Amino acid sequence: AAAAAVGAPTALVRVQSLRLTVLATRSSAVLCTQISQLCLRCQGSVVSFDGFVAANPLGQSPSGEGIEKLLVGGGKWLDINFSTNQKSVILLTAPHEVSVDDIAFCTANDGAARDPVNLRVEGSCDGKDWVLLHETGECFPTPLGRRCWSPWLSLCAQGRAPVGPPPPPSAAPGAEVLKMEARRGRHAFARRSFLKRKRSFSNKAAIASAAAAASDSAAAPLTPVTPKRPSRRQCSGAVSRCSALPLSMPSPPLSTPSRPELPVHGAAARLEAEGGGGSKPRPAKRKRREPTGKRKHFRLAALSNALVGQAVDVEAVVTSVGEVLRKPSMRNPQALVKMRRFEMRDGDTSCFWVLLGRRAERFGAQLLGRRVVARSATVHAFKSALHLSGCVRVDVRARAA
Protein backbone atom coordinates (compact mmCIF):
# COMPACT_ATOMS: atom_id res chain seq x y z
CA ALA A 1 0.00 0.00 0.00
CA ALA A 2 1.13 3.55 -0.74
CA ALA A 3 2.18 5.88 2.06
CA ALA A 4 0.21 8.89 3.25
CA ALA A 5 -0.34 11.79 0.87
CA VAL A 6 2.18 14.60 0.71
CA GLY A 7 -0.62 17.14 0.83
CA ALA A 8 -4.39 17.06 0.75
CA PRO A 9 -5.93 18.04 -2.60
CA THR A 10 -7.97 21.23 -2.71
CA ALA A 11 -10.32 20.08 -5.48
CA LEU A 12 -10.82 17.21 -7.85
CA VAL A 13 -8.98 17.39 -11.17
CA ARG A 14 -10.67 16.10 -14.32
CA VAL A 15 -8.23 15.20 -17.09
CA GLN A 16 -8.01 12.85 -20.04
CA SER A 17 -4.19 12.94 -20.37
CA LEU A 18 -1.51 12.96 -17.71
CA ARG A 19 2.13 13.77 -18.46
CA LEU A 20 4.70 12.65 -15.89
CA THR A 21 8.21 14.02 -16.56
CA VAL A 22 11.32 12.61 -14.80
CA LEU A 23 13.74 15.53 -14.48
CA ALA A 24 16.51 13.95 -12.33
CA THR A 25 17.58 10.62 -10.89
CA ARG A 26 19.23 9.70 -7.61
CA SER A 27 22.67 9.58 -9.28
CA SER A 28 23.76 11.95 -12.04
CA ALA A 29 26.18 9.35 -13.44
CA VAL A 30 23.53 6.91 -14.67
CA LEU A 31 22.29 6.82 -18.26
CA CYS A 32 18.80 5.44 -17.60
CA THR A 33 15.78 5.92 -15.38
CA GLN A 34 13.20 3.36 -14.27
CA ILE A 35 9.84 2.95 -12.52
CA SER A 36 8.09 -0.27 -11.64
CA GLN A 37 4.40 0.83 -11.54
CA LEU A 38 2.08 3.88 -11.38
CA CYS A 39 -1.09 4.31 -9.36
CA LEU A 40 -3.86 6.97 -9.51
CA ARG A 41 -6.34 7.70 -6.72
CA CYS A 42 -9.61 9.60 -6.54
CA GLN A 43 -11.17 10.35 -3.14
CA GLY A 44 -9.28 7.45 -1.56
CA SER A 45 -10.18 4.88 -4.24
CA VAL A 46 -7.67 3.52 -6.77
CA VAL A 47 -8.46 4.47 -10.37
CA SER A 48 -8.55 1.51 -12.76
CA PHE A 49 -6.22 1.61 -15.77
CA ASP A 50 -8.69 -0.22 -18.03
CA GLY A 51 -8.55 1.42 -21.47
CA PHE A 52 -5.54 3.61 -20.59
CA VAL A 53 -2.72 3.92 -23.14
CA ALA A 54 0.87 4.65 -22.03
CA ALA A 55 3.53 6.21 -24.26
CA ASN A 56 7.16 7.29 -23.86
CA PRO A 57 7.92 10.02 -26.45
CA LEU A 58 11.59 10.11 -27.58
CA GLY A 59 12.37 7.24 -25.22
CA GLN A 60 13.65 3.73 -25.83
CA SER A 61 13.21 0.63 -23.68
CA PRO A 62 14.76 -2.85 -23.82
CA SER A 63 12.62 -5.83 -24.71
CA GLY A 64 10.31 -6.77 -21.83
CA GLU A 65 10.75 -3.39 -20.04
CA GLY A 66 8.47 -1.19 -22.14
CA ILE A 67 6.23 1.66 -21.03
CA GLU A 68 3.19 -0.65 -20.83
CA LYS A 69 4.73 -2.25 -17.69
CA LEU A 70 3.72 0.84 -15.70
CA LEU A 71 0.03 -0.12 -15.92
CA VAL A 72 0.46 -3.66 -14.56
CA GLY A 73 2.34 -5.08 -11.59
CA GLY A 74 5.36 -7.35 -11.55
CA GLY A 75 7.53 -5.62 -14.17
CA LYS A 76 9.31 -2.31 -14.69
CA TRP A 77 9.77 0.42 -17.30
CA LEU A 78 13.32 1.45 -18.28
CA ASP A 79 14.26 4.38 -20.54
CA ILE A 80 17.84 4.23 -21.84
CA ASN A 81 17.53 7.63 -23.59
CA PHE A 82 17.22 9.54 -20.32
CA SER A 83 20.75 11.01 -20.43
CA THR A 84 20.43 11.82 -24.15
CA ASN A 85 17.16 13.77 -23.75
CA GLN A 86 18.00 15.03 -20.23
CA LYS A 87 14.53 13.85 -19.20
CA SER A 88 12.01 11.06 -19.65
CA VAL A 89 8.33 11.68 -20.42
CA ILE A 90 5.49 9.30 -19.49
CA LEU A 91 2.20 10.05 -21.25
CA LEU A 92 -1.01 8.42 -19.93
CA THR A 93 -4.15 8.77 -22.04
CA ALA A 94 -7.56 7.68 -20.68
CA PRO A 95 -10.47 6.61 -22.93
CA HIS A 96 -12.49 9.50 -21.41
CA GLU A 97 -12.09 12.22 -18.83
CA VAL A 98 -11.43 10.92 -15.32
CA SER A 99 -11.22 12.54 -11.91
CA VAL A 100 -7.93 12.15 -10.00
CA ASP A 101 -6.44 13.80 -6.93
CA ASP A 102 -3.34 11.68 -6.13
CA ILE A 103 -0.58 9.83 -8.00
CA ALA A 104 2.20 7.54 -6.71
CA PHE A 105 4.91 5.36 -8.22
CA CYS A 106 6.71 2.18 -7.17
CA THR A 107 10.49 1.75 -7.32
CA ALA A 108 12.01 -0.98 -9.47
CA ASN A 109 13.60 -4.23 -8.29
CA ASP A 110 17.21 -3.06 -8.80
CA GLY A 111 19.40 -0.04 -9.57
CA ALA A 112 18.49 2.45 -6.84
CA ALA A 113 20.72 5.02 -8.58
CA ARG A 114 18.21 5.11 -11.46
CA ASP A 115 15.22 6.03 -9.26
CA PRO A 116 13.58 9.41 -10.10
CA VAL A 117 13.94 12.12 -7.43
CA ASN A 118 12.57 15.12 -9.33
CA LEU A 119 9.23 14.82 -11.13
CA ARG A 120 6.66 17.09 -12.75
CA VAL A 121 3.00 16.11 -13.29
CA GLU A 122 0.84 17.91 -15.87
CA GLY A 123 -2.72 17.36 -17.04
CA SER A 124 -4.72 18.10 -20.17
CA CYS A 125 -8.18 17.48 -21.55
CA ASP A 126 -7.31 17.81 -25.26
CA GLY A 127 -3.61 16.87 -25.34
CA LYS A 128 -2.61 20.43 -26.38
CA ASP A 129 -3.13 22.77 -23.43
CA TRP A 130 -1.34 21.46 -20.36
CA VAL A 131 -1.79 22.55 -16.75
CA LEU A 132 0.82 22.00 -14.02
CA LEU A 133 -0.62 19.73 -11.32
CA HIS A 134 2.43 18.93 -9.14
CA GLU A 135 6.21 19.42 -9.08
CA THR A 136 8.28 17.66 -6.43
CA GLY A 137 11.47 19.70 -6.66
CA GLU A 138 14.92 18.19 -6.12
CA CYS A 139 14.39 16.86 -2.58
CA PHE A 140 11.59 14.36 -3.12
CA PRO A 141 11.97 11.46 -0.61
CA THR A 142 12.01 8.57 -3.06
CA PRO A 143 12.33 5.37 -0.95
CA LEU A 144 15.61 3.45 -1.15
CA GLY A 145 13.89 0.10 -0.78
CA ARG A 146 13.16 -2.03 -3.80
CA ARG A 147 9.53 -2.51 -4.87
CA CYS A 148 8.47 0.24 -2.47
CA TRP A 149 5.77 2.86 -3.08
CA SER A 150 6.49 6.58 -2.92
CA PRO A 151 4.34 8.99 -0.91
CA TRP A 152 1.13 10.13 -2.63
CA LEU A 153 1.54 13.28 -4.73
CA SER A 154 -1.54 15.50 -4.44
CA LEU A 155 -2.76 16.92 -7.76
CA CYS A 156 -4.33 20.36 -8.12
CA ALA A 157 -4.35 22.97 -10.85
CA GLN A 158 -1.44 25.40 -10.35
CA GLY A 159 -1.64 27.35 -13.61
CA ARG A 160 -0.42 26.69 -17.07
CA ALA A 161 2.40 24.26 -17.47
CA PRO A 162 5.82 25.88 -18.02
CA VAL A 163 6.83 26.02 -21.66
CA GLY A 164 10.54 25.44 -22.12
CA PRO A 165 12.76 25.05 -25.17
CA PRO A 166 11.94 22.05 -27.30
CA PRO A 167 13.93 18.94 -26.39
CA PRO A 168 17.03 18.30 -28.51
CA PRO A 169 16.51 15.96 -31.46
CA SER A 170 17.16 12.43 -30.35
CA ALA A 171 19.99 10.66 -32.08
CA ALA A 172 19.82 7.03 -33.03
CA PRO A 173 18.16 4.89 -30.35
CA GLY A 174 20.57 4.29 -27.51
CA ALA A 175 23.15 6.70 -28.93
CA GLU A 176 24.41 7.67 -25.48
CA VAL A 177 24.90 4.02 -24.59
CA LEU A 178 26.88 3.49 -27.79
CA LYS A 179 28.98 6.59 -27.05
CA MET A 180 29.75 5.30 -23.58
CA GLU A 181 30.82 1.89 -24.94
CA ALA A 182 33.06 3.57 -27.53
CA ARG A 183 34.60 5.73 -24.81
CA ARG A 184 35.33 2.67 -22.70
CA GLY A 185 36.91 0.94 -25.69
CA ARG A 186 39.20 3.93 -26.30
CA HIS A 187 40.21 3.99 -22.64
CA ALA A 188 41.01 0.25 -22.71
CA PHE A 189 43.09 0.66 -25.90
CA ALA A 190 44.99 3.60 -24.38
CA ARG A 191 45.75 1.57 -21.25
CA ARG A 192 47.02 -1.40 -23.28
CA SER A 193 49.24 0.94 -25.32
CA PHE A 194 50.60 2.50 -22.12
CA LEU A 195 51.41 -0.91 -20.60
CA LYS A 196 53.10 -2.01 -23.84
CA ARG A 197 55.31 1.11 -23.88
CA LYS A 198 56.08 0.59 -20.20
CA ARG A 199 57.23 -3.00 -20.79
CA SER A 200 59.33 -1.89 -23.77
CA PHE A 201 60.98 0.80 -21.65
CA SER A 202 61.65 -1.71 -18.86
CA ASN A 203 63.26 -4.14 -21.34
CA LYS A 204 65.47 -1.39 -22.75
CA ALA A 205 66.50 -0.34 -19.24
CA ALA A 206 67.34 -3.96 -18.35
CA ILE A 207 69.44 -4.34 -21.53
CA ALA A 208 71.30 -1.09 -20.80
CA SER A 209 71.95 -2.22 -17.20
CA ALA A 210 73.25 -5.60 -18.41
CA ALA A 211 75.54 -3.87 -20.94
CA ALA A 212 76.92 -1.57 -18.24
CA ALA A 213 77.54 -4.55 -15.94
CA ALA A 214 79.32 -6.40 -18.77
CA SER A 215 81.56 -3.41 -19.47
CA ASP A 216 82.42 -3.12 -15.77
CA SER A 217 83.27 -6.82 -15.57
CA ALA A 218 85.41 -6.55 -18.73
CA ALA A 219 87.46 -3.75 -17.14
CA ALA A 220 88.27 -5.93 -14.10
CA PRO A 221 91.35 -8.23 -14.27
CA LEU A 222 90.63 -11.88 -14.96
CA THR A 223 91.77 -14.77 -12.79
CA PRO A 224 92.00 -18.38 -13.87
CA VAL A 225 88.87 -20.35 -13.02
CA THR A 226 88.58 -24.10 -12.86
CA PRO A 227 85.07 -25.07 -13.97
CA LYS A 228 83.20 -27.85 -12.19
CA ARG A 229 82.77 -31.09 -14.03
CA PRO A 230 79.08 -31.49 -15.01
CA SER A 231 77.05 -34.18 -13.28
CA ARG A 232 75.78 -37.34 -14.94
CA ARG A 233 72.27 -35.83 -15.21
CA GLN A 234 73.69 -32.86 -17.14
CA CYS A 235 75.51 -35.24 -19.42
CA SER A 236 72.16 -37.04 -20.09
CA GLY A 237 73.86 -40.06 -21.49
CA ALA A 238 76.33 -38.39 -23.84
CA VAL A 239 79.55 -39.90 -22.45
CA SER A 240 81.63 -38.57 -25.31
CA ARG A 241 80.61 -35.01 -24.44
CA CYS A 242 81.60 -35.49 -20.81
CA SER A 243 85.00 -36.78 -21.85
CA ALA A 244 85.52 -33.76 -24.11
CA LEU A 245 84.98 -31.22 -21.32
CA PRO A 246 88.09 -29.18 -20.44
CA LEU A 247 89.45 -29.84 -16.99
CA SER A 248 90.97 -26.39 -16.48
CA MET A 249 90.90 -22.93 -17.99
CA PRO A 250 93.82 -21.57 -20.00
CA SER A 251 96.01 -19.00 -18.32
CA PRO A 252 94.69 -15.42 -18.49
CA PRO A 253 95.84 -13.30 -21.44
CA LEU A 254 98.46 -10.62 -20.95
CA SER A 255 96.13 -7.85 -22.14
CA THR A 256 92.60 -7.38 -20.86
CA PRO A 257 90.12 -8.54 -23.53
CA SER A 258 87.04 -6.52 -24.43
CA ARG A 259 84.77 -9.29 -23.15
CA PRO A 260 85.49 -11.88 -20.45
CA GLU A 261 86.23 -15.33 -21.77
CA LEU A 262 83.85 -18.01 -20.53
CA PRO A 263 84.51 -21.75 -20.33
CA VAL A 264 83.33 -23.63 -23.40
CA HIS A 265 81.87 -27.13 -23.38
CA GLY A 266 80.79 -29.84 -25.74
CA ALA A 267 80.66 -28.99 -29.46
CA ALA A 268 82.20 -25.52 -28.90
CA ALA A 269 85.23 -27.10 -27.18
CA ARG A 270 85.71 -29.54 -30.09
CA LEU A 271 85.50 -26.69 -32.61
CA GLU A 272 88.16 -24.73 -30.72
CA ALA A 273 90.40 -27.79 -30.59
CA GLU A 274 90.07 -28.17 -34.36
CA GLY A 275 90.79 -24.48 -34.96
CA GLY A 276 87.30 -23.59 -36.15
CA GLY A 277 86.24 -21.43 -33.22
CA GLY A 278 86.35 -18.15 -35.13
CA SER A 279 82.61 -18.03 -35.72
CA LYS A 280 79.82 -18.76 -33.29
CA PRO A 281 79.33 -22.55 -33.21
CA ARG A 282 75.93 -23.94 -34.02
CA PRO A 283 74.49 -26.22 -31.31
CA ALA A 284 75.07 -29.86 -32.17
CA LYS A 285 71.95 -31.89 -32.84
CA ARG A 286 71.30 -34.54 -30.26
CA LYS A 287 71.36 -37.96 -31.86
CA ARG A 288 68.79 -40.48 -30.86
CA ARG A 289 71.27 -43.37 -30.71
CA GLU A 290 75.05 -43.18 -30.78
CA PRO A 291 77.43 -45.56 -32.59
CA THR A 292 78.09 -48.85 -30.85
CA GLY A 293 81.79 -48.11 -30.37
CA LYS A 294 81.05 -45.03 -28.21
CA ARG A 295 78.22 -46.56 -26.20
CA LYS A 296 78.84 -47.51 -22.58
CA HIS A 297 79.13 -51.24 -21.92
CA PHE A 298 77.76 -52.49 -18.62
CA ARG A 299 77.57 -55.77 -16.85
CA LEU A 300 74.11 -56.12 -15.41
CA ALA A 301 75.55 -55.98 -11.90
CA ALA A 302 76.86 -52.45 -12.65
CA LEU A 303 73.63 -51.17 -14.28
CA SER A 304 73.01 -48.90 -11.30
CA ASN A 305 75.76 -46.62 -12.68
CA ALA A 306 73.72 -45.94 -15.82
CA LEU A 307 71.33 -42.99 -16.22
CA VAL A 308 67.61 -43.35 -16.78
CA GLY A 309 66.88 -42.94 -20.50
CA GLN A 310 70.48 -43.75 -21.49
CA ALA A 311 71.19 -46.19 -24.32
CA VAL A 312 73.68 -48.80 -23.08
CA ASP A 313 75.08 -52.24 -23.95
CA VAL A 314 74.18 -54.70 -21.20
CA GLU A 315 75.65 -58.20 -20.74
CA ALA A 316 73.76 -60.78 -18.70
CA VAL A 317 72.28 -64.29 -18.74
CA VAL A 318 68.67 -64.79 -19.88
CA THR A 319 66.98 -66.85 -17.16
CA SER A 320 63.33 -66.57 -18.24
CA VAL A 321 61.50 -66.03 -21.55
CA GLY A 322 57.86 -64.96 -21.57
CA GLU A 323 55.16 -65.47 -24.18
CA VAL A 324 54.35 -62.97 -26.92
CA LEU A 325 51.51 -60.77 -25.70
CA ARG A 326 49.49 -58.03 -27.37
CA LYS A 327 49.33 -54.81 -25.35
CA PRO A 328 47.89 -51.35 -26.18
CA SER A 329 50.50 -49.02 -27.61
CA MET A 330 51.51 -46.06 -25.46
CA ARG A 331 51.36 -43.73 -28.46
CA ASN A 332 48.05 -45.05 -29.76
CA PRO A 333 46.04 -46.91 -27.09
CA GLN A 334 43.63 -48.20 -29.75
CA ALA A 335 46.42 -50.09 -31.53
CA LEU A 336 47.88 -53.34 -30.18
CA VAL A 337 51.61 -54.05 -30.21
CA LYS A 338 53.43 -57.36 -29.68
CA MET A 339 55.52 -57.59 -26.51
CA ARG A 340 57.77 -60.26 -24.94
CA ARG A 341 59.39 -59.98 -21.53
CA PHE A 342 62.71 -61.58 -20.58
CA GLU A 343 64.36 -61.89 -17.18
CA MET A 344 68.11 -61.27 -17.12
CA ARG A 345 70.49 -62.10 -14.27
CA ASP A 346 74.13 -61.40 -13.49
CA GLY A 347 75.20 -62.77 -10.15
CA ASP A 348 72.70 -61.53 -7.53
CA THR A 349 71.36 -58.75 -9.81
CA SER A 350 68.34 -59.27 -12.02
CA CYS A 351 66.06 -57.12 -14.14
CA PHE A 352 63.37 -57.34 -16.78
CA TRP A 353 64.09 -56.75 -20.48
CA VAL A 354 61.14 -56.02 -22.79
CA LEU A 355 61.19 -56.36 -26.60
CA LEU A 356 58.44 -55.00 -28.85
CA GLY A 357 57.23 -55.65 -32.39
CA ARG A 358 59.28 -57.82 -34.73
CA ARG A 359 62.10 -58.34 -32.22
CA ALA A 360 59.59 -59.84 -29.79
CA GLU A 361 58.85 -62.52 -32.42
CA ARG A 362 62.44 -62.95 -33.59
CA PHE A 363 64.04 -63.54 -30.17
CA GLY A 364 62.47 -66.10 -27.91
CA ALA A 365 63.32 -69.46 -26.38
CA GLN A 366 66.67 -69.66 -28.24
CA LEU A 367 68.06 -67.06 -25.77
CA LEU A 368 67.07 -69.03 -22.66
CA GLY A 369 70.14 -69.89 -20.56
CA ARG A 370 72.56 -67.99 -22.81
CA ARG A 371 74.80 -65.05 -22.01
CA VAL A 372 73.79 -62.22 -24.34
CA VAL A 373 74.72 -58.60 -24.96
CA ALA A 374 71.72 -56.33 -25.66
CA ARG A 375 73.10 -53.56 -27.84
CA SER A 376 71.65 -50.05 -27.33
CA ALA A 377 69.00 -51.02 -24.81
CA THR A 378 67.22 -48.15 -23.05
CA VAL A 379 67.33 -47.88 -19.25
CA HIS A 380 63.99 -47.36 -17.43
CA ALA A 381 63.11 -46.94 -13.76
CA PHE A 382 60.09 -48.84 -12.45
CA LYS A 383 59.22 -49.32 -8.77
CA SER A 384 62.66 -48.17 -7.58
CA ALA A 385 64.43 -50.64 -9.88
CA LEU A 386 66.14 -50.29 -13.26
CA HIS A 387 64.86 -52.27 -16.24
CA LEU A 388 65.65 -52.43 -19.96
CA SER A 389 63.61 -52.17 -23.14
CA GLY A 390 64.40 -52.53 -26.84
CA CYS A 391 67.72 -53.04 -28.57
CA VAL A 392 69.48 -52.57 -31.91
CA ARG A 393 70.80 -56.15 -32.02
CA VAL A 394 71.49 -59.05 -29.71
CA ASP A 395 74.92 -60.74 -29.51
CA VAL A 396 74.86 -64.27 -28.12
CA ARG A 397 78.13 -65.02 -26.32
CA ALA A 398 77.81 -68.57 -24.94
CA ARG A 399 75.52 -70.79 -22.93
CA ALA A 400 75.82 -70.08 -19.25
CA ALA A 401 77.24 -72.77 -17.00
Side-chain angles (χ1 to χ4, degrees):
V6 173
T10 58
L12 291 179
V13 177
R14 291 190 62 83
V15 295
Q16 188 173 2
S17 299
L18 281 176
R19 185 168 64 187
L20 178 65
T21 305
V22 180
L23 301 175
T25 55
R26 198 186 305 274
S27 173
S28 59
V30 298
L31 306 178
C32 315
T33 186
Q34 61 184 12
I35 295 177
S36 175
Q37 189 179 354
L38 291 177
C39 185
L40 298 177
R41 191 172 65 169
C42 178
Q43 295 182 346
S45 300
V46 176
V47 178
S48 174
F49 281 130
D50 292 342
F52 274 67
V53 177
N56 181 208
L58 302 180
Q60 184 189 11
S61 302
S63 176
E65 297 179 349
I67 191 66
E68 68 279 357
K69 296 293 184 178
L70 293 177
L71 307 181
V72 295
K76 76 172 181 178
W77 159 75
L78 178 70
D79 182 13
I80 63 178
N81 278 354
F82 171 74
S83 61
T84 302
N85 301 327
Q86 299 299 313
K87 63 180 180 180
S88 289
V89 179
I90 302 171
L91 187 61
L92 299 178
T93 304
H96 49 77
E97 289 188 2
V98 294
S99 298
V100 294
D101 53 22
D102 295 309
I103 187 173
F105 66 91
C106 182
T107 59
N109 60 337
D110 60 354
R114 298 193 288 256
D115 291 342
V117 294
N118 189 357
L119 301 98
R120 179 192 300 155
V121 184
E122 301 162 324
S124 174
C125 292
D126 55 5
K128 297 179 181 179
D129 298 328
W130 294 90
V131 177
L132 178 63
L133 301 180
H134 192 98
E135 188 164 5
T136 63
E138 298 180 355
C139 299
F140 182 70
T142 302
L144 284 171
R146 300 297 85 200
R147 300 286 187 184
C148 295
W149 284 96
S150 70
W152 287 104
L153 308 178
S154 61
L155 304 179
C156 60
Q158 302 178 16
R160 296 181 61 85
V163 179
S170 177
E176 189 66 24
V177 177
L178 298 178
K179 289 180 182 178
M180 180 62 71
E181 293 297 332
R183 195 178 301 118
R184 290 176 180 173
R186 290 195 297 270
H187 289 171
F189 176 77
R191 178 169 178 79
R192 288 196 299 268
S193 301
F194 169 75
L195 295 177
K196 185 177 180 181
R197 291 194 300 270
K198 185 177 179 181
R199 286 194 297 268
S200 176
F201 177 78
S202 301
N203 294 339
K204 291 180 180 179
I207 294 175
S209 176
S215 62
D216 293 343
S217 61
L222 295 178
T223 56
V225 179
T226 302
K228 296 182 178 180
R229 190 178 183 87
S231 63
R232 291 181 300 175
R233 186 174 298 277
Q234 293 174 341
C235 294
S236 64
V239 181
S240 60
R241 292 188 182 181
C242 293
S243 61
L245 293 175
L247 299 180
S248 62
M249 286 292 295
S251 58
L254 299 179
S255 60
T256 302
S258 58
R259 295 182 59 185
E261 295 183 1
L262 300 177
V264 292
H265 305 279
R270 290 196 296 272
L271 286 176
E272 280 197 357
E274 297 172 1
S279 61
K280 186 177 179 180
R282 297 180 61 184
K285 293 184 179 179
R286 182 177 179 181
K287 297 180 180 179
R288 187 174 181 180
R289 297 188 183 274
E290 299 180 357
T292 306
K294 295 184 178 181
R295 207 165 33 246
K296 192 70 174 178
H297 184 88
F298 287 98
R299 291 288 296 268
L300 185 59
L303 188 61
S304 59
N305 297 327
L307 299 175
V308 175
Q310 185 178 1
V312 297
D313 297 345
V314 179
E315 182 178 350
V317 177
V318 178
T319 59
S320 174
V321 179
E323 299 293 334
V324 176
L325 304 177
R326 292 182 177 270
K327 298 288 185 178
S329 174
M330 296 182 63
R331 295 185 178 181
N332 184 9
Q334 297 181 354
L336 299 178
V337 62
K338 297 178 181 179
M339 183 194 75
R340 188 194 294 270
R341 188 172 69 174
F342 301 82
E343 184 177 356
M344 305 177 70
R345 180 173 296 275
D346 184 22
D348 296 334
T349 305
S350 64
C351 76
F352 290 114
W353 175 36
V354 178
L355 293 181
L356 303 174
R358 292 178 297 177
R359 290 187 177 84
E361 296 179 341
R362 178 181 176 185
F363 300 107
Q366 68 272 24
L367 300 182
L368 184 61
R370 291 183 174 272
R371 178 173 293 275
V372 299
V373 179
R375 302 290 185 182
S376 189
T378 305
V379 182
H380 297 278
F382 180 71
K383 292 184 178 181
S384 303
L386 296 180
H387 301 283
L388 302 172
S389 70
C391 67
V392 173
R393 72 172 190 269
V394 178
D395 296 342
V396 180
R397 292 291 177 88
R399 183 174 294 275

